[in-house]
Amino acid sequence: VLARGPQFDEDLLVVDLDLAPSTVNVADSSSDGVVHVTISDTPTPAYAAAPATLAARLDPIGEVYRAVQLGLHDYVRKNGFRSVLVGVSGGIDSTLVATIAADALGGENVVAISNPSKYSSQGSRDDAADLAENLGLDYRVIPIEPMVSAFLDSVNLTGIAEENLQARVRAVIWMGLGNQEGHLVLTNGNKSEVSVGYSTLYGDSVGGYAPLKDVDKSRVWALARWRNNAALDAGKLPPIPESSITKPPSAELAPGQLDSDRLPPYDVLDRILKRYLDEGWSPDRIIQVGDDAAAVHRIVRLVEINEFKRRQAAPNLRVSQKAFGTGRRF
């Protein structure tokens, strides 16, 4: 490699090559007898030759982060938006989306909406506020409990239906503010959740663009770590609160709720999904190498029956071998 520009950044490389004199007869090489190119052995005297630059390569996680960042920037700008709106809960997915958006567009162009419910922990609320302060976001807190209670007074919903109601009330707030103020609403779902339908249709799945839709949960944590380490390397404050990375994932739509109540551990889920979706393994082959048969069949079933949600999901950037919407459908 003689020269290389920085990845995912516009740049101009001027590369001077020390070449042997040309032996090409340009006139003879043209099929119509017309000389289209002139090759001169005389150096161009316009500038002094300079050594070529060789920008350092990003590590694999850094490549994904910068790819998602650039993709978000270009999608927003080329579609005529100047700002985005993100629902922030203090969880790792919304935290990472808000961070990438701030890096792509500037924190002042990211509206971060916190919609605590009666089930939202104080720690999650504090994490969302700390993130917004670290990134310089336009941060607003709009509790949903009064709206949810008013709805339940008219329509009696319980269980999952009540949980989904909370997500849909939040979505109405996001889309309403997006319409009113001209923001593109971003949805925070990652590939692991999108694969198995772990989201509320017309709730947390709403939005015009899905930055993490092709990024599985395991890589979400890795990207958050990478971003904080990059800040430390630059002598800056890590933007992502440590507790957002380390606490057990939860939608906080019911008392004591955890993602693990309904899904396998994410390392297990992501391993099975990668083999099934990206590598094309059959369920039997996945089971043969050691994964629990019941878990494998359940996950495969969830992938297949939740195609209807993915068909309605926001578009995304492809950063894996096989992304939903690029030929991978059920």
Side-chain angles (χ1 to χ4, degrees):
V1 179
L2 301 179
R4 181 169 56 224
Q7 293 172 275
F8 307 105
D9 279 319
E10 290 186 358
D11 194 26
L12 174 65
L13 266 66
V14 177
V15 183
D16 295 295
L17 303 178
D18 186 11
L19 302 176
S22 173
T23 59
V24 175
N25 187 324
V26 177
D28 292 345
S29 67
S30 175
S31 60
D32 57 6
V34 178
V35 177
H36 297 280
V37 179
T38 299
I39 298 178
S40 172
D41 293 331
T42 303
T44 303
Y47 60 89
T53 58
L54 196 64
R57 285 291 303 267
L58 292 166
D59 61 82
I61 295 298
E63 286 186 328
V64 173
Y65 189 97
R66 293 287 286 112
V68 175
Q69 176 186 334
L70 178 61
L72 172 60
H73 172 275
D74 284 1
Y75 191 86
V76 171
R77 292 293 186 232
K78 292 176 182 179
N79 281 285
F81 289 92
R82 291 178 294 182
S83 56
V84 295
L85 186 148
V86 186
V88 291
S89 65
I92 188 61
D93 297 315
S94 64
T95 293
L96 183 61
V97 168
T99 304
I100 294 171
D103 288 342
L105 306 167
E108 69 279 7
N109 296 312
V110 179
V111 178
I113 305 295
S114 171
N115 297 126
S117 73
K118 62 182 179 180
Y119 303 118
S120 300
S121 67
Q122 188 60 49
S124 293
R125 301 184 194 196
D126 292 343
D127 288 340
D130 290 345
L131 175 78
E133 182 178 359
N134 293 342
L135 296 172
L137 310 181
D138 179 353
Y139 181 62
R140 311 175 197 177
V141 179
I142 305 175
I144 64 170
E145 180 57 29
M147 290 170 268
V148 171
S149 295
F151 189 99
L152 293 176
D153 287 341
S154 299
V155 182
N156 183 27
L157 300 177
T158 60
I160 293 178
E162 182 184 358
E163 294 179 22
N164 289 340
L165 171 64
Q166 297 169 68
R168 290 177 176 133
V169 167
R170 288 170 174 153
V172 170
I173 294 171
W174 304 338
M175 295 305 298
L177 290 174
N179 290 157
Q180 180 75 21
E181 301 175 5
H183 314 299
L184 176 67
V185 177
L186 303 181
T187 182
N188 299 319
N190 61 68
K191 188 174 185 177
S192 305
E193 296 168 349
V194 170
S195 296
V196 297
Y198 191 64
S199 64
T200 300
L201 201 60
Y202 319 124
D204 55 303
S205 64
V206 304
Y209 186 75
L212 301 182
K213 187 178 166 187
D214 199 34
V215 179
D216 63 34
K217 189 76 169 191
S218 300
R219 187 167 282 179
V220 166
W221 279 306
L223 290 171
R225 291 283 189 200
W226 183 91
R227 179 60 180 85
N228 275 359
N229 289 334
L232 289 172
D233 291 342
K236 298 180 180 179
L237 175 72
I240 299 176
E242 182 66 18
S243 54
S244 290
I245 302 174
T246 58
K247 65 186 175 187
S250 171
E252 293 191 332
L253 297 174
Q257 185 183 59
L258 296 173
D259 289 6
S260 56
D261 297 338
R262 295 175 182 170
L263 295 175
Y266 277 110
D267 59 337
V268 175
L269 177 63
D270 288 348
R271 180 176 66 243
I272 294 173
L273 288 174
K274 181 175 178 60
R275 288 170 173 171
Y276 181 58
L277 295 173
D278 291 358
E279 300 174 10
W281 288 24
S282 68
D284 288 342
R285 184 182 177 188
I286 299 173
I287 294 167
Q288 287 172 0
V289 298
D291 277 302
D292 176 70
V296 171
H297 287 302
R298 177 169 174 260
I299 291 169
V300 169
R301 177 65 176 157
L302 287 173
V303 171
E304 293 177 348
I305 67 174
N306 281 288
E307 176 66 16
F308 78 101
K309 287 188 178 183
R310 292 189 293 271
R311 293 287 181 101
Q312 302 176 68
N316 63 286
L317 184 78
R318 175 180 173 181
V319 292
S320 72
Q321 289 179 318
K322 292 185 179 179
F324 292 115
T326 56
R328 186 52 160 164
R329 285 185 167 181
F330 290 88

